Amino acid sequence: QVRLVESGGGLVQAGGSLRLSCAASGRTFNNYFMGWFRQAPGKEREFVASISWNGGSTYYADSVKGRFTISRDNAKNTVYLQMNSLKPEDTANYYCAASSIIRTHDRDGRAYNYWGQGTQVTVSS
């Protein structure tokens, strides 16, 4: 069982930066692939980024590639999402997710079996 708690969301102007954190409970954090997803009002949830168990491999949605960076610190049981050059279209509720199932990157939310409660990111123009 893994409990995930996101933090770091807020209001920022276009072009600004935010860093999201996701703290995980449990002793086996390094056994989980981790991902970030987002959902804007009236839209479906979409994949943002994922990272392998040891952080050696990352994968990004095209919409955030070059602007967002996912990382993890297994000693702190935490995964991060550094978001730079933010755009109004990045406005959404951002969710952290963990998967004990997958062995490679997966954009499908159904591959993740644990989810956080989300943190709101609002980018003003």
Side-chain angles (χ1 to χ4, degrees):
Q1 191 78 12
V2 175
R3 182 171 178 262
L4 304 173
V5 179
E6 302 96 333
S7 61
L11 174 64
V12 64
Q13 288 188 332
S17 298
L18 281 175
R19 188 175 83 154
L20 305 184
S21 299
C22 172
S25 64
R27 300 179 181 177
T28 58
F29 177 70
N30 59 352
N31 288 347
Y32 293 86
F33 253 76
M34 300 298 296
W36 286 96
F37 290 77
R38 66 187 182 187
Q39 187 167 21
K43 295 187 177 181
E44 293 187 353
R45 182 181 61 197
E46 66 171 342
F47 170 82
V48 175
S50 59
I51 188 166
S52 59
W53 307 289
N54 64 357
S57 176
T58 58
Y59 180 58
Y60 297 93
D62 288 344
S63 58
V64 306
K65 199 174 296 181
R67 300 187 297 122
F68 291 10
T69 303
I70 188 172
S71 61
R72 67 190 295 166
D73 185 339
N74 286 344
K76 296 182 179 179
N77 280 14
T78 302
V79 63
Y80 304 97
L81 185 68
Q82 177 67 43
M83 306 186 294
N84 299 329
S85 302
L86 282 161
K87 304 175 181 179
E89 51 263 45
D90 293 319
T91 295
N93 206 0
Y94 282 71
Y95 297 90
C96 172
S99 176
S100 60
I101 304 168
I102 58 178
R103 292 295 178 262
T104 189
H105 296 287
D106 199 320
R107 306 169 62 95
D108 190 338
R110 294 172 296 180
Y112 295 79
N113 42 347
Y114 299 102
W115 293 83
Q117 82 292 345
T119 185
Q120 178 67 35
V121 172
T122 302
V123 184
S124 63
S125 57

